[in-house]
């Protein structure tokens, strides 16, 4: 799981760097196409498996969800700091009960409402400035990325119960996502080229990124990082006895993101932004651990009566 969270944070860092070099549409397209090629290439050794019947619907829905999630995440990443974007993206688990309520009509509980309220306060604090509160669009894009990520996780949970192996399910989802984005990426490239349309003339974060070979190496590294995140997380869940064993390690993604931000981007966060991020992380931790703790107490109570 540590390798998975390290790879996930590295993917965010690389995407942050490449967002100064490529347009959001082109970067999202390549971020799906390259990992899909790698994962589907694995099927040449294990045997080709295609989604059919009941396995096709989860693949289509998840592909649409990850397209929305990545477009929103990359948009926020181009405007916000790495840590801010990853924290907002990590709010995904908070939206899962909301989606389950809409899809499966499961009841809302007070803890979910409390966590969502805490998250909203955290976002408002991040939007603060010396002149007041400014709910910038990039903050809303970051939250939308978390919402789409939640929908993707719900679909992935259902798809995991199908007959498709992990490499096949994720590979076809990513490939379909790349196909969906292909027309948009092609149109954007014809209009503006590979560079972001509003930053074509600005200096790049790293001076040597205008060398095509360097950009290609970073894209391939990003693809390998994405594949590593998917594969190592699946392996970790297979080895663990319960999912709660790995839950604390998921949040090491934020620690790695802080290291990347300080090391590569030399950025610091204002006090109100740190408080906002802390509230969002707290809400996510409560959402993860408190229900499990309550369930354990409920299961243990008959044994002591």
């Amino acid at each position: 799981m540590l390798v998975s969270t390290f790879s996930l944070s590295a993917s965010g860092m690389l995407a942050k760097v490449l967002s100064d070099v490529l347009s959001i549409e082109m970067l999202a397209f390549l971020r799906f196409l390259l990992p899909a090629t790698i994962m589907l290439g694995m099927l040449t050794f294990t045997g080709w498996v295609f989604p059919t019947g009941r396995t096709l619907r989860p693949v289509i829905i998840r592909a649409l969800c990850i397209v929305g999630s990545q477009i929103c995440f990359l948009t926020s990443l181009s405007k916000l700091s790495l840590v801010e974007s990853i924290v907002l993206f990590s709010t995904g688990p908070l939206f899962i009960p909301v989606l389950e309520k809409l899809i499966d009509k499961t009841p809302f509980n007070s803890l979910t409402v409390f966590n969502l309220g805490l998250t909203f306060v955290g976002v408002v604090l991040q939007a603060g400035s010396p002149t007041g509160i400014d709910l910038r669009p990039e903050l809303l894009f970051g939250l939308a990325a978390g919402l789409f990520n939640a929908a993707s996780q719900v679909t992935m949970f259902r798809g995991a119960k199908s007959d498709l192996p992990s490499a096949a399910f994720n590979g076809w989802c990513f490939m379909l996502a790349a196909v969906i984005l292909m027309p948009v990426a092609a149109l954007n490239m014809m209009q503006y080229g590979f560079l972001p349309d509003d930053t074509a003339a600005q200096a790049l974060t790293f001076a040597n990124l205008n060398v095509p070979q360097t950009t290609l190496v970073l894209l391939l590294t990003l693809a390998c990082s994405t594949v590593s995140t998917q594969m190592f997380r699946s392996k970790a869940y297979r080895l663990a006895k319960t999912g709660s064993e790995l839950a604390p390690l998921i949040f090491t993604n934020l620690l790695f993101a802080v290291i990347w931000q300080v090391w590569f981007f030399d950025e610091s966060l204002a006090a109100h932004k740190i408080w906002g991020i802390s509230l969002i992380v707290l809400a996510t931790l409560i959402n993860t651990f408190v229900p499990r703790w309550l369930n354990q107490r409920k299961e243990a109570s008959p044994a002591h009566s």
Side-chain angles (χ1 to χ4, degrees), residues 64-70 72 143-153:
L64 293 171
C65 289
I66 61 177
V67 166
S69 179
Q70 285 304 306
C72 291
L143 278 179
L147 176 60
F148 279 115
N149 181 44
S152 171
Q153 294 303 312

Side-chain angles (χ1 to χ4, degrees), residues 288-299:
T288 302
F289 293 108
V290 170
R292 289 173 181 161
W293 177 71
L294 292 175
N295 287 335
Q296 288 174 354
R297 284 194 60 187
K298 186 176 179 180
E299 293 173 358

Side-chain angles (χ1 to χ4, degrees), residues 12-283:
M13 184 270 292
L14 291 167
K16 174 73 172 174
V17 173
L18 288 167
S19 65
D20 287 335
V21 184
L22 300 171
S23 66
I24 291 174
E25 295 83 0
M26 181 58 66
L27 178 56
F29 169 69
L30 294 174
R31 191 172 185 181
F32 291 134
L33 179 63
L34 297 177
T37 303
I38 295 174
M39 286 187 283
L40 293 179
M42 296 177 182
L43 298 182
T44 59
F45 301 99
T46 60
W48 283 93
V49 182
F50 298 91
T52 56
R54 66 187 183 91
T55 62
L56 184 59
R57 178 173 172 158
V59 168
I60 295 175
I61 296 176
R62 185 167 185 245
L64 293 171
C65 289
I66 61 177
V67 166
S69 179
Q70 285 304 306
I71 288 292
C72 291
F73 175 68
L74 292 175
T75 301
S76 69
L77 196 61
S78 65
K79 304 294 183 182
L80 300 174
S81 69
L82 177 63
V83 173
E84 288 176 307
S85 298
I86 288 183
V87 167
L88 291 171
F89 179 78
S90 299
T91 58
L94 296 175
F95 292 108
I96 290 178
V98 179
L99 294 174
E100 290 177 343
K101 168 70 175 177
L102 295 175
I103 297 173
D104 300 326
K105 308 300 181 183
T106 56
F108 249 159
N109 58 58
S110 56
L111 185 62
T112 299
V113 177
F114 173 77
N115 289 330
L116 290 173
L118 204 60
T119 300
F120 176 76
V121 174
V123 172
V124 170
L125 283 174
Q126 284 198 71
S129 67
T131 58
I133 294 175
D134 180 18
L135 282 175
R136 294 164 291 162
E138 50 266 29
L139 292 172
L140 300 180
F141 273 109
L143 278 179
L147 176 60
F148 279 115
N149 181 44
S152 171
Q153 294 303 312
V154 170
T155 309
M156 185 178 182
F157 176 77
R158 297 184 177 188
K161 297 182 180 297
S162 67
D163 299 329
L164 284 177
S166 176
F169 180 72
N170 287 302
W172 289 119
C173 286
F174 274 56
M175 184 59 75
L176 180 57
V179 171
I180 293 171
L181 276 176
M182 186 185 298
V184 180
L187 181 62
N188 183 270
M189 186 181 66
M190 287 188 292
Q191 289 181 333
Y192 304 108
F194 286 95
L195 289 175
D197 57 324
D198 58 344
T199 57
Q202 77 178 42
L204 301 178
T205 306
F206 296 97
N208 62 341
L209 279 183
N210 55 1
V211 180
Q213 294 85 344
T214 306
T215 304
L216 179 59
V217 168
L218 290 177
L219 282 170
L220 292 175
T221 306
L222 175 61
C224 292
S225 247
T226 303
V227 173
S228 174
T229 299
Q230 300 290 329
M231 294 300 151
F232 278 103
R233 183 158 298 194
S234 298
K235 182 69 173 177
Y237 280 127
R238 282 198 298 268
L239 293 176
K241 294 180 181 178
T242 63
S244 59
E245 292 180 42
L246 302 174
L249 296 177
I250 294 175
F251 297 100
T252 56
N253 175 35
L254 299 176
L255 299 178
F256 289 130
V258 171
I259 294 173
W260 297 130
Q261 178 160 321
V262 174
W263 190 4
F264 282 98
F265 302 105
D266 194 25
E267 295 179 5
S268 59
L269 293 172
H272 65 276
K273 292 183 179 292
I274 295 175
W275 279 108
I277 289 172
S278 299
L279 284 179
I280 294 173
V281 172
L282 177 62

